Amino acid sequence: MTAITTIRINHAALPDHFDRSRPEVVAEAIEAALRDEGIAAEASDVISHIKIELPTIQLAAASTMLASLQLI
């Protein structure tokens, strides 16, 4: 069994270069960026935040990618 980590990012905390009015598109863009880096993540829009789930073993790489997108 693989350990899973969930990262939540409030819509209000999204940087200006993301369209806050279209959170489902933001989630798709985040998921695509992570997958381009080889990170098996699933991102989705959940009412007030973006939820990102990924294998815990890939957390460090995901953190680096999310930081480059100014999300963390």
Side-chain angles (χ1 to χ4, degrees), residues 15-34:
D16 290 338
H17 62 274
F18 286 104
D19 184 356
R20 291 184 187 109
S21 69
R22 300 183 61 199
E24 68 284 349
V25 173
V26 173
E28 290 172 10
I30 292 169
E31 184 174 322
L34 289 166

Side-chain angles (χ1 to χ4, degrees), residues 3-62:
I4 300 295
T5 294
T6 301
I7 299 169
R8 292 178 177 86
I9 302 170
N10 267 338
H11 292 155
L14 291 171
D16 290 338
H17 62 274
F18 286 104
D19 184 356
R20 291 184 187 109
S21 69
R22 300 183 61 199
E24 68 284 349
V25 173
V26 173
E28 290 172 10
I30 292 169
E31 184 174 322
L34 289 166
R35 289 194 186 273
D36 286 349
E37 292 296 313
I39 300 164
E42 292 183 19
S44 58
D45 170 41
V46 182
I47 303 173
S48 64
H49 61 275
I50 303 293
K51 179 174 83 170
I52 305 165
E53 293 184 328
L54 58 125
T56 301
I57 196 163
Q58 293 185 310
L59 181 58

